[in-house]
Amino acid sequence: MTQLPRFFLLFLLAVGQAHAWSLFSGSNEEERFPGMGGDFTLRSADGPISLKDFRGKLVLIYFGYTSCPDVCPTSLGALSSALKKLSDREMARIQPIFISVDPERDDPGKLKDYSAYFHPKMIGATADLPYLKDLAKRYGAFFRKAPVEDSTLGYAVDHSSTIYVVNEEGKLVDMIQHGGSPKLILQHLRKALDD
């Protein structure tokens, strides 16, 4: 019988901590992904870029790598098709960023060419591996190096496939999962632009 009161006290403590966190963290009920996302600084072919550089724009972030055989081209191809359906006015308010989680092979020059293939406005960027691991964790992304036998590449990178949508104030407001059609991605983008 002593377990029940102890469990109840632990439950009340957890509820109290959650309530205190909501009061002092500055988050509100409208924030969809509290504690996730945040600023970053990465290397690109045109110099360092930070998320805060794009305040006032809707930033679309995708974690991947240029040697990815199928997942990245599929997701970025769908994103590219959606971006092409936006008006010039809408596109002026959007900044896509491709973040490579394979800095060993993806230098800024290679990333610039790869990203431009999908959209001329897309920026390709990367950073050192420990920084990328922390950044991916903050956004809820996952990646890990996976050895590939009998391949000239030597390894692949297993990774999640999500388009992260960051609003004009730098807050993560949406996640578009892999497999979304260009039409679905377009719906998500227009909703974020209207909010």
Side-chain angles (χ1 to χ4, degrees):
M1 291 295 282
T2 59
Q3 292 292 344
L4 186 58
R6 186 175 173 189
F7 172 79
F8 185 68
L9 284 173
L10 288 172
F11 173 76
L12 286 177
L13 181 63
V15 169
Q17 286 176 331
H19 180 66
W21 171 254
S22 69
L23 288 175
F24 297 109
S25 66
S27 65
N28 57 46
E29 289 182 2
E30 293 179 9
E31 192 171 353
R32 290 190 60 198
F33 306 100
M36 292 182 67
D39 201 14
F40 52 76
T41 301
L42 303 168
R43 296 186 301 266
S44 80
D46 298 317
I49 62 158
S50 296
L51 181 61
K52 64 184 176 188
D53 296 339
F54 306 107
R55 288 294 185 269
K57 293 195 176 199
L58 196 69
V59 180
L60 313 176
I61 300 168
Y62 186 84
F63 293 88
Y65 68 114
T66 65
S67 301
C68 183
D70 47 21
V71 176
C72 291
T74 302
S75 291
L76 293 175
L79 174 58
S80 174
S81 294
L83 293 175
K84 287 174 184 170
K85 292 181 181 351
L86 293 172
S87 69
D88 290 344
R89 188 173 180 179
E90 289 171 317
M91 197 59 223
R93 296 177 54 204
I94 290 181
Q95 179 56 64
I97 301 175
F98 174 74
I99 301 176
S100 172
V101 294
D102 187 13
E104 187 178 328
R105 294 184 294 204
D106 290 344
D107 61 70
K110 186 175 185 180
L111 285 168
K112 183 172 186 173
D113 293 343
Y114 184 82
S115 299
Y117 174 79
F118 292 100
H119 196 277
K121 201 171 174 185
M122 187 178 291
I123 298 171
T126 192
D128 296 332
L129 204 52
Y131 187 89
L132 291 168
K133 285 181 179 177
D134 176 68
L135 178 59
K137 185 177 178 183
R138 286 194 280 124
Y139 276 82
F142 160 83
F143 70 92
R144 71 176 176 88
K145 189 185 277 192
V148 178
E149 293 181 18
D150 302 323
S151 169
T152 56
L153 291 175
Y155 67 89
V157 181
D158 294 334
H159 64 92
S160 52
S161 181
T162 302
I163 300 165
Y164 298 91
V165 182
V166 177
N167 72 8
E168 289 91 339
E169 289 83 42
K171 289 188 190 277
L172 181 64
V173 293
D174 198 3
M175 295 182 189
I176 308 169
Q177 300 303 321
H178 175 69
S181 67
K183 183 179 179 181
L184 179 65
I185 294 171
L186 187 62
Q187 289 170 355
H188 279 262
L189 299 185
R190 286 198 163 131
K191 181 179 184 309
L193 286 168
D194 290 342
D195 286 348

